[in-house]
Amino acid sequence: QEGWTLKFDCLCGGKLWSDLEIGLIGRHNVLNAAAVLGLASQLGVEEETLRRGFKTFRGVKRRIEKKGEK
């Protein structure tokens, strides 16, 4: 984790996907991204499209939405 970004590797369909980056924090978000990777790769989504989507997705604004500073 670096700031609000996580990088991880994932073995999916016999292929090692290295340095995947998501703009979210938390183990649960990595697991969600791994599930998306598995489905999208089976549907034929191109690797660059997946990587770009992961990198730019900011999630839903709820729990970690910044409301102000003290």
Side-chain angles (χ1 to χ4, degrees):
Q1 178 176 334
E2 184 175 307
W4 290 93
T5 301
L6 282 171
K7 288 188 179 180
F8 64 99
D9 299 337
C10 186
L11 183 61
C12 179
K15 177 182 177 180
L16 178 62
W17 298 71
S18 298
D19 295 321
L20 292 166
E21 182 178 329
I22 58 174
L24 303 165
I25 59 171
R27 180 176 184 265
H28 62 289
N29 285 316
V30 171
L31 294 173
N32 289 342
V36 169
L37 174 65
L39 177 61
S41 63
Q42 289 297 307
L43 293 174
V45 178
E46 294 183 9
E47 181 174 347
E48 187 54 39
T49 301
L50 282 168
R51 289 182 179 276
R52 187 173 48 252
F54 283 153
K55 195 171 185 177
T56 59
F57 179 69
R58 297 294 171 226
V60 294
K61 294 193 180 248
R62 289 191 308 233
R63 292 179 203 96
I64 60 171
E65 185 177 5
K66 187 174 182 177
K67 297 286 188 177
E69 293 184 30
K70 179 178 177 183

